[in-house]
Structures are given as C-alpha cells and as structure tokens.
Amino acid sequence: MNIILLGPPGAGKGTQAGNLVRKREMLQLSTGDMLRAARTSGTEMGQRVADVMDRGELVTDEIVIGLIDEALDGEKAAGGVIFDGFPRTLAQADALAELLAAKGHTLDAVVELRVNDEALVARITGRYSCGDCGAVYHDSTHPTKVAGVCDHCGSTNLKRRADDNEDSLRQRLMEYYKKTSPLVGYYHAKGQLRVVDGLAPMADVEAAIDAALSR
Ligand code: AP5
C-alpha cells in the first residue's frame, strides 16, 4: 500500500508516519528529512536549500522530485511507502503519478490530516525529535518518558528544527494554502482522498487513519 499524508506544518504527518512504519513495515519518505540531510552536506546546493527552508518557502519542484525518484529506486519496504510532505504542488503530484506508473506501483490512498491554524503554533514551537531514529515529541503534550532520552531508541541526541519558530511557521502556512491545499481537491476528484480529524488526541488520529486505510 502506497499512501500520501497531507496536511499543513504541525498537522501530525511525521508522528503518524512513524506509527505506520512501526506497525505496518512501511517506508517513510519525508522530503523534509531528505532536505535537512542535504543542508548539512556542505555543498552549494545544501546552502541554497537551507536558506529556502529557514525562510519557510518551498524548495524547487525539480530538487524534490529528483530526491523522491532516487529514493523510490532503492525502495524495499514490504508494507509500501508513506509519502510525508510530498507532493506539495500540483507539478509534484503529477510527477509522483508518473514515477509510480513508470516503476509499476500505484497510489492507494491520500490521508488529509485536517487541523486549524491556532493549534499549529503551540505544536510547532514545542516540538523536538530524536536525531537518530526520528521519533517526534512535544514539550507538553508528548514528552519523552525520561527527560533527554528517546523512548524508542534510547538516544540522547534530541533536537529542535531551525524553522520551528512563529515567523517561519506563518510563511510555511502561507505556502501551504497557496501551493499545497489545491491537492485536497485534486485527490478528492480522483476518489483517493480520506479526511481524518488531526485535532483529535494522537491515539484517536492513529485509529482513524487505520480505519481510513482499511476502507
Ligand atoms: P517538512 O519537514 O515536511 O515540514 P512540514 O510539512 O512543515 O511539517 P512538519 O514536519 O513541521 O509537521 P508534521 O505534520 O510532520 O507534524 P509532527 O508530526 O512533527 O518540511 C520542512 C521544509 O522543507 C518546508 O518548509 C520546505 O521548505 C521544505 N520541503 C519539504 N518537502 C518539500 C516539498 N515536497 N517541496 C518543496 N519543499 C519542501 O507534529 C508536530 C508536533 O505536534 C509534534 O511535537 C507532535 O508531538 C505534536 N502532535 C502531533 N499530533 C498531535 C496530536 N494529535 N495532538 C497533539 N499534538 C500532536
């Protein structure tokens, strides 16, 4: 099963992708994570990507489509792929359809995590994650059980993102509404959209996604 998790910054895409990876042996392909790896590469491209991300704008379609193309070539997940943060433009959605068709795969569902903007500021400014396994936490709603130690892998390499501040979030939201939210209508028209209440407690969101994927 290949699926897209769609929603604005802080909607819970990374959190829920982590659950699906653990339960269903799916592979999470997060363009945000790939771009954060690129920005630490020390290359000129990495520096350009870092500047764009810190401003809260979208990186060019060409770069992210190239990253997904490469990642799909090495794909080896029994449970299929979760696209987290991709596609984010109609051009990326068309490119994904072509890439999947060329590799003999299908897109099975698009899960939209529906939230409202007020909840997102608190979620984004309180977020931190494990630099080793990627598990996502929050200062008040989902802290690690032992302070400073990842629940999943025991690492003490817990990090905050450079773009997790209010100014950058406002720009990221603007980009979402201008360029990414048209994908809701696009996938609805294709009959692939399943909407989940992303404001519900994490365990309820997880159960709603499970139900949506078994439909
Ligand atoms: P990316 O890394 O994809 O970030 P994003 O889309 O802005 O989404 P986030 O990772 O911020 O949020 P999330 O939905 O995963 O929420 P999370 O689960 O962490 O992109 C970063 C940048 O890279 C972009 O701005 C752009 O520059 C570039 N980029 C990436 N992909 C691109 C593309 N395809 N094209 C062009 N540019 C691209 O949850 C957030 C917090 O809330 C956590 O602390 C969590 O614990 C908490 N939480 C989660 N669920 C709940 C819940 N149900 N109740 C209470 N708290 C919750």
mmCIF file of all heavy atoms in Angstrom, residues 61-107:
data_model
loop_
_atom_site.group_PDB
_atom_site.id
_atom_site.type_symbol
_atom_site.label_atom_id
_atom_site.label_comp_id
_atom_site.label_asym_id
_atom_site.label_seq_id
_atom_site.Cartn_x
_atom_site.Cartn_y
_atom_site.Cartn_z
ATOM 1 N N ASP A 61 10.540 22.329 -7.298
ATOM 2 C CA ASP A 61 9.973 21.018 -7.664
ATOM 3 C C ASP A 61 11.061 20.089 -8.184
ATOM 4 O O ASP A 61 11.100 18.903 -7.849
ATOM 5 C CB ASP A 61 8.908 21.199 -8.760
ATOM 6 C CG ASP A 61 7.639 21.845 -8.231
ATOM 7 O OD1 ASP A 61 7.392 21.775 -7.005
ATOM 8 O OD2 ASP A 61 6.890 22.430 -9.041
ATOM 9 N N GLU A 62 11.965 20.639 -9.005
ATOM 10 C CA GLU A 62 12.994 19.816 -9.635
ATOM 11 C C GLU A 62 13.836 19.071 -8.580
ATOM 12 O O GLU A 62 14.083 17.867 -8.705
ATOM 13 C CB GLU A 62 13.885 20.759 -10.454
ATOM 14 C CG GLU A 62 14.816 20.070 -11.389
ATOM 15 C CD GLU A 62 15.849 21.063 -11.937
ATOM 16 O OE1 GLU A 62 15.776 22.265 -11.623
ATOM 17 O OE2 GLU A 62 16.738 20.579 -12.645
ATOM 18 N N ILE A 63 14.237 19.794 -7.532
ATOM 19 C CA ILE A 63 15.080 19.159 -6.497
ATOM 20 C C ILE A 63 14.311 18.058 -5.770
ATOM 21 O O ILE A 63 14.791 16.927 -5.648
ATOM 22 C CB ILE A 63 15.598 20.220 -5.484
ATOM 23 C CG1 ILE A 63 16.625 21.117 -6.163
ATOM 24 C CG2 ILE A 63 16.202 19.543 -4.246
ATOM 25 C CD1 ILE A 63 17.185 22.232 -5.281
ATOM 26 N N VAL A 64 13.077 18.357 -5.319
ATOM 27 C CA VAL A 64 12.390 17.336 -4.506
ATOM 28 C C VAL A 64 11.932 16.145 -5.343
ATOM 29 O O VAL A 64 11.972 15.005 -4.880
ATOM 30 C CB VAL A 64 11.203 17.909 -3.689
ATOM 31 C CG1 VAL A 64 11.678 18.732 -2.525
ATOM 32 C CG2 VAL A 64 10.242 18.672 -4.519
ATOM 33 N N ILE A 65 11.547 16.403 -6.586
ATOM 34 C CA ILE A 65 11.145 15.271 -7.448
ATOM 35 C C ILE A 65 12.362 14.363 -7.679
ATOM 36 O O ILE A 65 12.259 13.131 -7.640
ATOM 37 C CB ILE A 65 10.541 15.787 -8.780
ATOM 38 C CG1 ILE A 65 9.185 16.457 -8.510
ATOM 39 C CG2 ILE A 65 10.371 14.637 -9.785
ATOM 40 C CD1 ILE A 65 8.643 17.290 -9.662
ATOM 41 N N GLY A 66 13.535 14.975 -7.866
ATOM 42 C CA GLY A 66 14.767 14.190 -8.032
ATOM 43 C C GLY A 66 15.047 13.336 -6.803
ATOM 44 O O GLY A 66 15.423 12.159 -6.917
ATOM 45 N N LEU A 67 14.839 13.903 -5.610
ATOM 46 C CA LEU A 67 15.085 13.153 -4.370
ATOM 47 C C LEU A 67 14.148 11.950 -4.267
ATOM 48 O O LEU A 67 14.551 10.844 -3.887
ATOM 49 C CB LEU A 67 14.887 14.068 -3.148
ATOM 50 C CG LEU A 67 15.949 15.147 -2.900
ATOM 51 C CD1 LEU A 67 15.508 16.089 -1.791
ATOM 52 C CD2 LEU A 67 17.289 14.497 -2.542
ATOM 53 N N ILE A 68 12.866 12.172 -4.598
ATOM 54 C CA ILE A 68 11.885 11.077 -4.495
ATOM 55 C C ILE A 68 12.176 10.004 -5.548
ATOM 56 O O ILE A 68 12.098 8.797 -5.257
ATOM 57 C CB ILE A 68 10.446 11.641 -4.656
ATOM 58 C CG1 ILE A 68 10.035 12.412 -3.393
ATOM 59 C CG2 ILE A 68 9.427 10.543 -4.960
ATOM 60 C CD1 ILE A 68 9.765 11.541 -2.166
ATOM 61 N N ASP A 69 12.545 10.421 -6.743
ATOM 62 C CA ASP A 69 12.871 9.470 -7.814
ATOM 63 C C ASP A 69 13.989 8.532 -7.340
ATOM 64 O O ASP A 69 13.882 7.302 -7.425
ATOM 65 C CB ASP A 69 13.299 10.272 -9.053
ATOM 66 C CG ASP A 69 13.420 9.388 -10.286
ATOM 67 O OD1 ASP A 69 13.060 8.196 -10.200
ATOM 68 O OD2 ASP A 69 13.886 9.876 -11.327
ATOM 69 N N GLU A 70 15.050 9.136 -6.778
ATOM 70 C CA GLU A 70 16.184 8.330 -6.289
ATOM 71 C C GLU A 70 15.757 7.398 -5.156
ATOM 72 O O GLU A 70 16.114 6.228 -5.124
ATOM 73 C CB GLU A 70 17.247 9.256 -5.688
ATOM 74 C CG GLU A 70 18.393 9.557 -6.595
ATOM 75 C CD GLU A 70 19.350 10.529 -5.935
ATOM 76 O OE1 GLU A 70 19.691 10.340 -4.756
ATOM 77 O OE2 GLU A 70 19.735 11.505 -6.613
ATOM 78 N N ALA A 71 14.962 7.932 -4.212
ATOM 79 C CA ALA A 71 14.563 7.129 -3.045
ATOM 80 C C ALA A 71 13.689 5.956 -3.477
ATOM 81 O O ALA A 71 13.790 4.861 -2.917
ATOM 82 C CB ALA A 71 13.823 8.001 -2.037
ATOM 83 N N LEU A 72 12.847 6.167 -4.488
ATOM 84 C CA LEU A 72 11.967 5.074 -4.927
ATOM 85 C C LEU A 72 12.765 3.967 -5.600
ATOM 86 O O LEU A 72 12.379 2.804 -5.538
ATOM 87 C CB LEU A 72 10.902 5.607 -5.895
ATOM 88 C CG LEU A 72 9.704 6.291 -5.243
ATOM 89 C CD1 LEU A 72 8.774 6.866 -6.320
ATOM 90 C CD2 LEU A 72 8.921 5.329 -4.345
ATOM 91 N N ASP A 73 13.897 4.321 -6.208
ATOM 92 C CA ASP A 73 14.725 3.290 -6.851
ATOM 93 C C ASP A 73 15.289 2.324 -5.819
ATOM 94 O O ASP A 73 15.402 1.135 -6.067
ATOM 95 C CB ASP A 73 15.872 3.942 -7.633
ATOM 96 C CG ASP A 73 15.399 4.385 -9.001
ATOM 97 O OD1 ASP A 73 14.348 3.889 -9.441
ATOM 98 O OD2 ASP A 73 16.053 5.256 -9.601
ATOM 99 N N GLY A 74 15.613 2.853 -4.632
ATOM 100 C CA GLY A 74 16.192 1.970 -3.612
ATOM 101 C C GLY A 74 15.134 1.408 -2.689
ATOM 102 O O GLY A 74 15.445 0.807 -1.681
ATOM 103 N N GLU A 75 13.846 1.627 -3.020
ATOM 104 C CA GLU A 75 12.741 1.272 -2.118
ATOM 105 C C GLU A 75 12.637 -0.247 -1.900
ATOM 106 O O GLU A 75 12.626 -1.012 -2.854
ATOM 107 C CB GLU A 75 11.435 1.812 -2.726
ATOM 108 C CG GLU A 75 10.220 1.610 -1.876
ATOM 109 C CD GLU A 75 9.335 0.488 -2.393
ATOM 110 O OE1 GLU A 75 8.982 0.506 -3.571
ATOM 111 O OE2 GLU A 75 9.015 -0.393 -1.574
ATOM 112 N N LYS A 76 12.613 -0.636 -0.614
ATOM 113 C CA LYS A 76 12.440 -2.071 -0.354
ATOM 114 C C LYS A 76 11.644 -2.241 0.943
ATOM 115 O O LYS A 76 12.163 -2.681 1.959
ATOM 116 C CB LYS A 76 13.785 -2.805 -0.270
ATOM 117 C CG LYS A 76 14.837 -2.076 0.571
ATOM 118 C CD LYS A 76 16.135 -2.844 0.559
ATOM 119 C CE LYS A 76 17.224 -2.253 1.405
ATOM 120 N NZ LYS A 76 17.366 -0.816 1.454
ATOM 121 N N ALA A 77 10.368 -1.847 0.898
ATOM 122 C CA ALA A 77 9.532 -1.964 2.093
ATOM 123 C C ALA A 77 8.381 -2.913 1.793
ATOM 124 O O ALA A 77 7.637 -2.706 0.837
ATOM 125 C CB ALA A 77 8.986 -0.599 2.490
ATOM 126 N N ALA A 78 8.257 -3.943 2.648
ATOM 127 C CA ALA A 78 7.206 -4.931 2.431
ATOM 128 C C ALA A 78 5.825 -4.275 2.472
ATOM 129 O O ALA A 78 4.924 -4.632 1.719
ATOM 130 C CB ALA A 78 7.314 -6.006 3.502
ATOM 131 N N GLY A 79 5.670 -3.288 3.355
ATOM 132 C CA GLY A 79 4.343 -2.698 3.553
ATOM 133 C C GLY A 79 4.017 -1.533 2.639
ATOM 134 O O GLY A 79 2.931 -0.971 2.723
ATOM 135 N N GLY A 80 4.956 -1.114 1.776
ATOM 136 C CA GLY A 80 4.705 0.019 0.888
ATOM 137 C C GLY A 80 5.301 1.314 1.432
ATOM 138 O O GLY A 80 6.041 1.307 2.411
ATOM 139 N N VAL A 81 4.962 2.424 0.762
ATOM 140 C CA VAL A 81 5.623 3.701 1.035
ATOM 141 C C VAL A 81 4.630 4.730 1.572
ATOM 142 O O VAL A 81 3.483 4.796 1.130
ATOM 143 C CB VAL A 81 6.265 4.241 -0.271
ATOM 144 C CG1 VAL A 81 6.838 5.633 -0.059
ATOM 145 C CG2 VAL A 81 7.351 3.294 -0.757
ATOM 146 N N ILE A 82 5.101 5.511 2.557
ATOM 147 C CA ILE A 82 4.329 6.674 3.040
ATOM 148 C C ILE A 82 5.038 7.918 2.527
ATOM 149 O O ILE A 82 6.201 8.161 2.877
ATOM 150 C CB ILE A 82 4.350 6.763 4.583
ATOM 151 C CG1 ILE A 82 3.913 5.451 5.211
ATOM 152 C CG2 ILE A 82 3.488 7.932 5.069
ATOM 153 C CD1 ILE A 82 4.484 5.262 6.611
ATOM 154 N N PHE A 83 4.368 8.708 1.714
ATOM 155 C CA PHE A 83 4.931 9.976 1.264
ATOM 156 C C PHE A 83 4.525 11.039 2.289
ATOM 157 O O PHE A 83 3.345 11.339 2.454
ATOM 158 C CB PHE A 83 4.424 10.323 -0.140
ATOM 159 C CG PHE A 83 4.889 9.344 -1.175
ATOM 160 C CD1 PHE A 83 4.060 8.297 -1.584
ATOM 161 C CD2 PHE A 83 6.159 9.442 -1.715
ATOM 162 C CE1 PHE A 83 4.497 7.372 -2.516
ATOM 163 C CE2 PHE A 83 6.607 8.512 -2.649
ATOM 164 C CZ PHE A 83 5.774 7.477 -3.047
ATOM 165 N N ASP A 84 5.534 11.570 3.002
ATOM 166 C CA ASP A 84 5.302 12.518 4.102
ATOM 167 C C ASP A 84 5.876 13.872 3.669
ATOM 168 O O ASP A 84 7.091 14.020 3.557
ATOM 169 C CB ASP A 84 6.011 11.955 5.352
ATOM 170 C CG ASP A 84 6.201 12.981 6.465
ATOM 171 O OD1 ASP A 84 5.657 14.096 6.370
ATOM 172 O OD2 ASP A 84 6.919 12.651 7.433
ATOM 173 N N GLY A 85 4.972 14.833 3.387
ATOM 174 C CA GLY A 85 5.444 16.154 2.949
ATOM 175 C C GLY A 85 5.699 16.235 1.460
ATOM 176 O O GLY A 85 6.262 17.204 0.968
ATOM 177 N N PHE A 86 5.296 15.246 0.720
ATOM 178 C CA PHE A 86 5.411 15.193 -0.742
ATOM 179 C C PHE A 86 4.193 14.443 -1.261
ATOM 180 O O PHE A 86 3.849 13.410 -0.686
ATOM 181 C CB PHE A 86 6.691 14.457 -1.161
ATOM 182 C CG PHE A 86 6.870 14.375 -2.655
ATOM 183 C CD1 PHE A 86 7.549 15.369 -3.338
ATOM 184 C CD2 PHE A 86 6.325 13.307 -3.380
ATOM 185 C CE1 PHE A 86 7.702 15.298 -4.715
ATOM 186 C CE2 PHE A 86 6.472 13.236 -4.755
ATOM 187 C CZ PHE A 86 7.168 14.226 -5.415
ATOM 188 N N PRO A 87 3.516 14.905 -2.304
ATOM 189 C CA PRO A 87 3.762 16.128 -3.066
ATOM 190 C C PRO A 87 3.230 17.362 -2.349
ATOM 191 O O PRO A 87 2.366 17.268 -1.476
ATOM 192 C CB PRO A 87 2.988 15.881 -4.365
ATOM 193 C CG PRO A 87 1.858 14.983 -3.966
ATOM 194 C CD PRO A 87 2.404 14.110 -2.874
ATOM 195 N N ARG A 88 3.756 18.542 -2.732
ATOM 196 C CA ARG A 88 3.340 19.807 -2.135
ATOM 197 C C ARG A 88 2.882 20.793 -3.187
ATOM 198 O O ARG A 88 2.495 21.907 -2.851
ATOM 199 C CB ARG A 88 4.527 20.416 -1.409
ATOM 200 C CG ARG A 88 4.543 20.163 0.094
ATOM 201 C CD ARG A 88 5.831 20.767 0.598
ATOM 202 N NE ARG A 88 5.743 21.208 1.950
ATOM 203 C CZ ARG A 88 6.149 20.507 2.991
ATOM 204 N NH1 ARG A 88 6.611 19.296 2.835
ATOM 205 N NH2 ARG A 88 6.091 21.028 4.192
ATOM 206 N N THR A 89 2.969 20.425 -4.454
ATOM 207 C CA THR A 89 2.460 21.274 -5.542
ATOM 208 C C THR A 89 1.791 20.335 -6.550
ATOM 209 O O THR A 89 2.044 19.119 -6.548
ATOM 210 C CB THR A 89 3.601 22.020 -6.270
ATOM 211 O OG1 THR A 89 4.474 21.041 -6.868
ATOM 212 C CG2 THR A 89 4.410 22.909 -5.329
ATOM 213 N N LEU A 90 0.972 20.934 -7.444
ATOM 214 C CA LEU A 90 0.321 20.095 -8.462
ATOM 215 C C LEU A 90 1.369 19.473 -9.390
ATOM 216 O O LEU A 90 1.216 18.322 -9.813
ATOM 217 C CB LEU A 90 -0.689 20.935 -9.252
ATOM 218 C CG LEU A 90 -1.944 21.288 -8.432
ATOM 219 C CD1 LEU A 90 -2.744 22.395 -9.103
ATOM 220 C CD2 LEU A 90 -2.830 20.060 -8.200
ATOM 221 N N ALA A 91 2.452 20.208 -9.664
ATOM 222 C CA ALA A 91 3.513 19.646 -10.521
ATOM 223 C C ALA A 91 4.138 18.425 -9.841
ATOM 224 O O ALA A 91 4.427 17.413 -10.499
ATOM 225 C CB ALA A 91 4.579 20.705 -10.796
ATOM 226 N N GLN A 92 4.335 18.497 -8.519
ATOM 227 C CA GLN A 92 4.891 17.334 -7.802
ATOM 228 C C GLN A 92 3.909 16.166 -7.817
ATOM 229 O O GLN A 92 4.305 15.006 -7.919
ATOM 230 C CB GLN A 92 5.230 17.710 -6.354
ATOM 231 C CG GLN A 92 6.406 18.675 -6.223
ATOM 232 C CD GLN A 92 6.707 19.047 -4.777
ATOM 233 O OE1 GLN A 92 6.349 18.337 -3.843
ATOM 234 N NE2 GLN A 92 7.375 20.183 -4.590
ATOM 235 N N ALA A 93 2.599 16.468 -7.711
ATOM 236 C CA ALA A 93 1.590 15.390 -7.725
ATOM 237 C C ALA A 93 1.597 14.676 -9.073
ATOM 238 O O ALA A 93 1.544 13.440 -9.141
ATOM 239 C CB ALA A 93 0.207 15.967 -7.423
ATOM 240 N N ASP A 94 1.684 15.455 -10.156
ATOM 241 C CA ASP A 94 1.731 14.832 -11.489
ATOM 242 C C ASP A 94 3.000 14.008 -11.649
ATOM 243 O O ASP A 94 2.985 12.906 -12.193
ATOM 244 C CB ASP A 94 1.671 15.918 -12.576
ATOM 245 C CG ASP A 94 0.261 16.514 -12.703
ATOM 246 O OD1 ASP A 94 -0.710 15.839 -12.296
ATOM 247 O OD2 ASP A 94 0.142 17.651 -13.201
ATOM 248 N N ALA A 95 4.124 14.564 -11.148
ATOM 249 C CA ALA A 95 5.397 13.833 -11.266
ATOM 250 C C ALA A 95 5.336 12.529 -10.486
ATOM 251 O O ALA A 95 5.830 11.493 -10.940
ATOM 252 C CB ALA A 95 6.544 14.703 -10.750
ATOM 253 N N LEU A 96 4.716 12.554 -9.288
ATOM 254 C CA LEU A 96 4.614 11.328 -8.489
ATOM 255 C C LEU A 96 3.807 10.268 -9.239
ATOM 256 O O LEU A 96 4.194 9.091 -9.276
ATOM 257 C CB LEU A 96 3.970 11.623 -7.130
ATOM 258 C CG LEU A 96 3.764 10.391 -6.241
ATOM 259 C CD1 LEU A 96 5.100 9.705 -5.908
ATOM 260 C CD2 LEU A 96 3.029 10.757 -4.948
ATOM 261 N N ALA A 97 2.685 10.683 -9.848
ATOM 262 C CA ALA A 97 1.865 9.720 -10.599
ATOM 263 C C ALA A 97 2.700 9.077 -11.705
ATOM 264 O O ALA A 97 2.656 7.853 -11.908
ATOM 265 C CB ALA A 97 0.630 10.425 -11.171
ATOM 266 N N GLU A 98 3.494 9.891 -12.391
ATOM 267 C CA GLU A 98 4.323 9.352 -13.490
ATOM 268 C C GLU A 98 5.410 8.422 -12.961
ATOM 269 O O GLU A 98 5.654 7.355 -13.527
ATOM 270 C CB GLU A 98 4.986 10.493 -14.266
ATOM 271 C CG GLU A 98 4.034 11.150 -15.249
ATOM 272 C CD GLU A 98 4.590 12.461 -15.807
ATOM 273 O OE1 GLU A 98 5.824 12.616 -15.868
ATOM 274 O OE2 GLU A 98 3.769 13.325 -16.165
ATOM 275 N N LEU A 99 6.054 8.833 -11.854
ATOM 276 C CA LEU A 99 7.134 7.996 -11.294
ATOM 277 C C LEU A 99 6.593 6.640 -10.847
ATOM 278 O O LEU A 99 7.188 5.598 -11.114
ATOM 279 C CB LEU A 99 7.772 8.683 -10.079
ATOM 280 C CG LEU A 99 8.719 9.854 -10.349
ATOM 281 C CD1 LEU A 99 9.155 10.490 -9.029
ATOM 282 C CD2 LEU A 99 9.939 9.354 -11.115
ATOM 283 N N LEU A 100 5.436 6.658 -10.160
ATOM 284 C CA LEU A 100 4.865 5.395 -9.668
ATOM 285 C C LEU A 100 4.483 4.502 -10.845
ATOM 286 O O LEU A 100 4.767 3.303 -10.847
ATOM 287 C CB LEU A 100 3.651 5.677 -8.777
ATOM 288 C CG LEU A 100 3.964 6.253 -7.385
ATOM 289 C CD1 LEU A 100 2.684 6.636 -6.647
ATOM 290 C CD2 LEU A 100 4.771 5.266 -6.536
ATOM 291 N N ALA A 101 3.854 5.096 -11.856
ATOM 292 C CA ALA A 101 3.431 4.297 -13.017
ATOM 293 C C ALA A 101 4.654 3.684 -13.699
ATOM 294 O O ALA A 101 4.656 2.500 -14.060
ATOM 295 C CB ALA A 101 2.638 5.171 -13.989
ATOM 296 N N ALA A 102 5.724 4.496 -13.839
ATOM 297 C CA ALA A 102 6.925 4.007 -14.526
ATOM 298 C C ALA A 102 7.571 2.851 -13.762
ATOM 299 O O ALA A 102 8.215 1.989 -14.355
ATOM 300 C CB ALA A 102 7.929 5.140 -14.693
ATOM 301 N N LYS A 103 7.405 2.829 -12.439
ATOM 302 C CA LYS A 103 8.045 1.779 -11.630
ATOM 303 C C LYS A 103 7.044 0.641 -11.333
ATOM 304 O O LYS A 103 7.321 -0.239 -10.533
ATOM 305 C CB LYS A 103 8.595 2.373 -10.330
ATOM 306 C CG LYS A 103 9.746 3.381 -10.587
ATOM 307 C CD LYS A 103 10.180 4.101 -9.338
ATOM 308 C CE LYS A 103 10.895 5.421 -9.591
ATOM 309 N NZ LYS A 103 12.173 5.361 -10.282
ATOM 310 N N GLY A 104 5.852 0.728 -11.945
ATOM 311 C CA GLY A 104 4.856 -0.338 -11.785
ATOM 312 C C GLY A 104 4.136 -0.319 -10.453
ATOM 313 O O GLY A 104 3.612 -1.336 -10.001
ATOM 314 N N HIS A 105 4.085 0.844 -9.778
ATOM 315 C CA HIS A 105 3.393 0.958 -8.492
ATOM 316 C C HIS A 105 2.105 1.764 -8.644
ATOM 317 O O HIS A 105 1.907 2.464 -9.642
ATOM 318 C CB HIS A 105 4.279 1.674 -7.455
ATOM 319 C CG HIS A 105 5.554 0.963 -7.162
ATOM 320 N ND1 HIS A 105 5.607 -0.355 -6.781
ATOM 321 C CD2 HIS A 105 6.844 1.386 -7.185
ATOM 322 C CE1 HIS A 105 6.869 -0.704 -6.581
ATOM 323 N NE2 HIS A 105 7.632 0.336 -6.827
ATOM 324 N N THR A 106 1.256 1.712 -7.617
ATOM 325 C CA THR A 106 0.036 2.528 -7.628
ATOM 326 C C THR A 106 0.004 3.381 -6.363
ATOM 327 O O THR A 106 0.695 3.087 -5.388
ATOM 328 C CB THR A 106 -1.232 1.634 -7.610
ATOM 329 O OG1 THR A 106 -1.099 0.719 -6.514
ATOM 330 C CG2 THR A 106 -1.429 0.888 -8.905
ATOM 331 N N LEU A 107 -0.837 4.411 -6.387
ATOM 332 C CA LEU A 107 -1.092 5.211 -5.180
ATOM 333 C C LEU A 107 -2.438 4.742 -4.644
ATOM 334 O O LEU A 107 -3.439 4.777 -5.353
ATOM 335 C CB LEU A 107 -1.144 6.702 -5.543
ATOM 336 C CG LEU A 107 -1.430 7.639 -4.379
ATOM 337 C CD1 LEU A 107 -0.304 7.590 -3.347
ATOM 338 C CD2 LEU A 107 -1.607 9.073 -4.888
#
